[in-house]
Amino acid sequence: MGNGIMPSSFIVLTGDPGVGKSTLLLQICSHLAQHYLIFYFSTEESLAQVKDRFLRLNHHPSDLFHLSDVANLDDIIQSAQHHKPTLLIIDSIQNCYIGGSQTLPGSIGQLREATFRLMRLAKENDITIFVTGHITKEGIIAGPKTMEHMVDALFYLKREDHWQTRLLRSVKNRFGSINEVGFFEMTEISFQ
Protein backbone atom coordinates (compact mmCIF):
# COMPACT_ATOMS: atom_id res chain seq x y z
CA MET A 1 0.00 0.00 0.00
CA GLY A 2 2.94 2.28 -0.55
CA ASN A 3 3.37 4.43 2.54
CA GLY A 4 0.44 2.83 4.38
CA ILE A 5 -3.32 3.18 4.52
CA MET A 6 -4.39 6.64 3.41
CA PRO A 7 -6.97 8.21 5.76
CA SER A 8 -10.48 8.66 4.28
CA SER A 9 -9.76 6.25 1.45
CA PHE A 10 -12.09 3.60 0.05
CA ILE A 11 -10.30 0.32 -0.64
CA VAL A 12 -11.51 -2.94 -2.17
CA LEU A 13 -9.84 -6.27 -1.43
CA THR A 14 -10.93 -9.03 -3.75
CA GLY A 15 -9.93 -12.60 -4.50
CA ASP A 16 -11.18 -16.13 -4.92
CA PRO A 17 -13.49 -17.56 -2.26
CA GLY A 18 -11.47 -18.99 0.63
CA VAL A 19 -8.20 -17.32 -0.39
CA GLY A 20 -7.91 -15.51 2.96
CA LYS A 21 -9.39 -12.04 2.47
CA SER A 22 -11.25 -12.09 5.78
CA THR A 23 -8.31 -13.59 7.64
CA LEU A 24 -5.93 -10.94 6.29
CA LEU A 25 -8.31 -8.10 7.21
CA LEU A 26 -8.89 -9.49 10.70
CA GLN A 27 -5.16 -9.72 11.25
CA ILE A 28 -4.70 -6.11 10.10
CA CYS A 29 -7.55 -5.04 12.37
CA SER A 30 -6.11 -6.74 15.40
CA HIS A 31 -2.92 -4.69 15.05
CA LEU A 32 -4.62 -1.38 14.25
CA ALA A 33 -7.28 -1.75 16.95
CA GLN A 34 -4.61 -1.20 19.58
CA HIS A 35 -4.58 2.46 18.56
CA TYR A 36 -7.75 3.12 16.55
CA LEU A 37 -11.50 2.52 16.70
CA ILE A 38 -12.38 -0.12 14.12
CA PHE A 39 -15.80 -1.38 13.08
CA TYR A 40 -15.97 -4.73 11.32
CA PHE A 41 -19.27 -5.72 9.69
CA SER A 42 -19.44 -9.32 8.54
CA THR A 43 -22.28 -9.83 6.08
CA GLU A 44 -21.26 -13.40 5.20
CA GLU A 45 -20.34 -15.00 8.51
CA SER A 46 -22.06 -15.07 11.87
CA LEU A 47 -20.47 -13.43 14.89
CA ALA A 48 -19.59 -16.91 16.20
CA GLN A 49 -17.73 -17.72 12.97
CA VAL A 50 -15.81 -14.43 13.09
CA LYS A 51 -14.99 -15.00 16.76
CA ASP A 52 -13.69 -18.51 15.97
CA ARG A 53 -11.42 -17.04 13.28
CA PHE A 54 -10.10 -14.50 15.81
CA LEU A 55 -9.40 -17.19 18.36
CA ARG A 56 -7.61 -19.25 15.72
CA LEU A 57 -5.43 -16.19 15.09
CA ASN A 58 -4.76 -15.96 18.84
CA HIS A 59 -6.62 -12.65 19.16
CA HIS A 60 -9.50 -11.71 21.44
CA PRO A 61 -12.32 -9.99 19.52
CA SER A 62 -14.00 -8.54 22.61
CA ASP A 63 -10.87 -6.48 23.28
CA LEU A 64 -10.36 -5.28 19.74
CA PHE A 65 -13.33 -3.67 18.05
CA HIS A 66 -17.02 -3.70 17.39
CA LEU A 67 -18.26 -6.72 15.46
CA SER A 68 -21.64 -6.98 13.83
CA ASP A 69 -23.48 -9.22 11.42
CA VAL A 70 -25.54 -6.32 10.06
CA ALA A 71 -26.01 -6.43 6.28
CA ASN A 72 -28.25 -3.36 5.92
CA LEU A 73 -26.07 -0.63 4.40
CA ASP A 74 -28.27 2.11 5.89
CA ASP A 75 -27.60 0.74 9.40
CA ILE A 76 -23.87 0.40 8.74
CA ILE A 77 -23.61 4.00 7.50
CA GLN A 78 -25.70 5.34 10.37
CA SER A 79 -23.54 3.51 12.91
CA ALA A 80 -20.34 4.82 11.30
CA GLN A 81 -21.62 8.39 11.21
CA HIS A 82 -22.56 8.20 14.89
CA HIS A 83 -19.41 6.52 16.26
CA LYS A 84 -16.82 7.83 13.75
CA PRO A 85 -14.49 4.82 13.60
CA THR A 86 -11.08 5.34 12.04
CA LEU A 87 -11.53 2.21 9.95
CA LEU A 88 -14.72 0.55 8.73
CA ILE A 89 -14.63 -2.91 7.17
CA ILE A 90 -17.49 -4.53 5.29
CA ASP A 91 -16.96 -8.19 4.47
CA SER A 92 -18.48 -8.43 1.80
CA ILE A 93 -20.09 -5.67 -0.24
CA GLN A 94 -22.10 -8.11 -2.37
CA ASN A 95 -24.17 -9.22 0.62
CA CYS A 96 -25.13 -5.72 1.76
CA TYR A 97 -28.59 -4.53 0.94
CA ILE A 98 -30.11 -1.08 0.78
CA GLY A 99 -33.41 -0.70 2.64
CA GLY A 100 -36.39 -0.01 0.42
CA SER A 101 -34.53 -0.89 -2.76
CA GLN A 102 -36.38 -2.92 -5.35
CA THR A 103 -33.19 -4.63 -6.54
CA LEU A 104 -31.41 -7.61 -5.00
CA PRO A 105 -28.21 -7.42 -2.95
CA GLY A 106 -25.19 -7.82 -5.22
CA SER A 107 -27.06 -6.53 -8.26
CA ILE A 108 -25.45 -3.91 -10.47
CA GLY A 109 -27.77 -1.17 -9.21
CA GLN A 110 -27.19 -1.94 -5.53
CA LEU A 111 -23.41 -2.28 -5.91
CA ARG A 112 -23.20 1.02 -7.76
CA GLU A 113 -25.30 2.83 -5.15
CA ALA A 114 -23.50 1.17 -2.23
CA THR A 115 -20.11 2.14 -3.67
CA PHE A 116 -21.21 5.75 -4.16
CA ARG A 117 -22.65 6.01 -0.65
CA LEU A 118 -19.59 4.44 0.98
CA MET A 119 -17.26 6.73 -0.95
CA ARG A 120 -19.22 9.73 0.36
CA LEU A 121 -19.12 8.30 3.89
CA ALA A 122 -15.32 7.96 3.70
CA LYS A 123 -14.69 11.45 2.37
CA GLU A 124 -17.28 13.37 4.41
CA ASN A 125 -16.55 11.66 7.76
CA ASP A 126 -12.80 11.02 7.56
CA ILE A 127 -13.33 7.23 7.77
CA THR A 128 -11.14 4.76 5.92
CA ILE A 129 -13.25 2.00 4.40
CA PHE A 130 -12.21 -1.50 3.33
CA VAL A 131 -14.68 -3.78 1.59
CA THR A 132 -14.17 -7.28 0.31
CA GLY A 133 -15.60 -8.14 -3.06
CA HIS A 134 -16.22 -11.37 -4.87
CA ILE A 135 -14.64 -12.12 -8.21
CA THR A 136 -16.11 -13.95 -11.16
CA LYS A 137 -14.66 -17.04 -12.83
CA GLU A 138 -13.03 -14.67 -15.30
CA GLY A 139 -11.14 -13.00 -12.43
CA ILE A 140 -12.93 -9.64 -12.34
CA ILE A 141 -14.95 -8.05 -9.56
CA ALA A 142 -18.50 -9.33 -9.63
CA GLY A 143 -20.84 -6.51 -10.48
CA PRO A 144 -20.35 -3.31 -12.41
CA LYS A 145 -16.95 -2.33 -13.72
CA THR A 146 -17.79 1.17 -12.43
CA MET A 147 -17.09 -0.04 -8.88
CA GLU A 148 -13.41 -0.31 -9.76
CA HIS A 149 -13.37 3.25 -11.10
CA MET A 150 -15.13 4.74 -8.07
CA VAL A 151 -12.82 3.42 -5.34
CA ASP A 152 -9.40 4.75 -4.34
CA ALA A 153 -7.56 1.44 -4.35
CA LEU A 154 -8.16 -2.11 -5.52
CA PHE A 155 -6.12 -5.11 -4.37
CA TYR A 156 -6.28 -8.74 -5.50
CA LEU A 157 -5.31 -11.58 -3.17
CA LYS A 158 -4.41 -14.73 -5.11
CA ARG A 159 -3.31 -18.24 -4.26
CA GLU A 160 -0.01 -18.74 -6.05
CA ASP A 161 0.52 -22.48 -5.71
CA HIS A 162 -0.86 -25.59 -4.09
CA TRP A 163 0.79 -24.65 -0.78
CA GLN A 164 -0.14 -21.73 1.40
CA THR A 165 1.50 -18.91 -0.57
CA ARG A 166 -0.60 -15.82 -1.29
CA LEU A 167 0.18 -12.88 -3.56
CA LEU A 168 -1.34 -9.47 -2.86
CA ARG A 169 -1.11 -7.09 -5.78
CA SER A 170 -2.39 -3.62 -6.41
CA VAL A 171 -4.42 -3.05 -9.54
CA LYS A 172 -5.33 0.53 -8.70
CA ASN A 173 -3.99 2.88 -6.05
CA ARG A 174 -4.65 6.62 -6.19
CA PHE A 175 -2.24 7.20 -3.32
CA GLY A 176 0.64 4.89 -4.13
CA SER A 177 2.38 2.66 -6.61
CA ILE A 178 0.81 -0.32 -8.31
CA ASN A 179 4.28 -1.76 -8.90
CA GLU A 180 4.47 -3.42 -5.49
CA VAL A 181 3.41 -6.94 -4.54
CA GLY A 182 3.18 -8.69 -1.21
CA PHE A 183 4.01 -12.38 -0.77
CA PHE A 184 2.48 -14.08 2.24
CA GLU A 185 2.47 -17.52 3.71
CA MET A 186 -0.84 -18.42 5.26
CA THR A 187 -0.23 -20.46 8.39
CA GLU A 188 -2.66 -21.85 10.96
CA ILE A 189 -2.51 -18.66 12.99
CA SER A 190 -1.67 -15.82 10.59
CA PHE A 191 -0.42 -14.38 7.33
CA GLN A 192 3.39 -14.01 7.40
Side-chain angles (χ1 to χ4, degrees), residues 2-186:
N3 293 326
I5 299 170
M6 180 65 69
S8 304
S9 59
F10 184 13
I11 301 163
V12 174
L13 174 62
T14 190
D16 292 327
V19 74
K21 299 179 298 290
S22 301
T23 301
L24 179 60
L25 286 176
L26 288 173
Q27 187 172 345
I28 290 168
C29 289
S30 68
H31 296 292
L32 293 176
Q34 297 172 23
H35 306 287
Y36 303 101
L37 177 62
I38 299 176
F39 279 21
Y40 185 98
F41 291 92
S42 177
T43 65
E44 293 186 344
E45 297 178 316
S46 71
L47 290 178
Q49 291 169 317
V50 174
K51 180 180 178 183
D52 286 345
R53 185 186 312 266
F54 260 108
L55 295 176
R56 190 183 81 228
L57 296 171
N58 289 325
H59 299 295
H60 302 284
S62 61
D63 298 335
L64 296 175
F65 49 79
H66 174 80
L67 295 172
S68 178
D69 57 358
V70 174
N72 184 324
L73 189 65
D74 300 315
D75 292 343
I76 292 170
I77 289 173
Q78 184 178 26
S79 179
Q81 288 172 329
H82 178 73
H83 295 284
K84 304 285 189 199
T86 305
L87 178 63
L88 170 70
I89 295 174
I90 301 173
D91 185 12
S92 88
I93 190 68
Q94 274 89 359
N95 288 340
C96 284
Y97 65 91
I98 298 169
S101 176
Q102 300 300 312
T103 58
L104 294 173
S107 67
I108 291 174
Q110 284 227 2
L111 283 174
R112 186 178 292 130
E113 184 176 349
T115 302
F116 176 75
R117 291 176 65 184
L118 289 170
M119 180 61 84
R120 284 188 50 219
L121 176 68
K123 304 306 180 197
E124 293 173 2
N125 295 276
D126 196 27
I127 298 171
T128 301
I129 299 175
F130 269 90
V131 299
T132 62
H134 301 161
I135 62 171
T136 65
K137 291 178 183 176
E138 293 79 29
I140 59 173
I141 294 178
K145 198 72 170 162
T146 56
M147 183 178 180
E148 291 183 46
H149 299 294
M150 294 171 71
V151 300
D152 293 314
L154 173 64
F155 294 89
Y156 279 87
L157 185 63
K158 289 183 67 172
R159 184 175 289 121
E160 280 301 300
D161 53 31
H162 296 293
W163 305 101
Q164 296 300 324
T165 305
R166 302 293 189 268
L167 172 70
L168 181 66
R169 68 179 177 94
S170 174
V171 175
K172 174 185 179 181
N173 190 351
R174 287 189 177 143
F175 308 114
S177 173
I178 60 168
N179 296 320
E180 298 176 358
V181 295
F183 287 96
F184 298 92
E185 180 183 9
M186 190 174 193

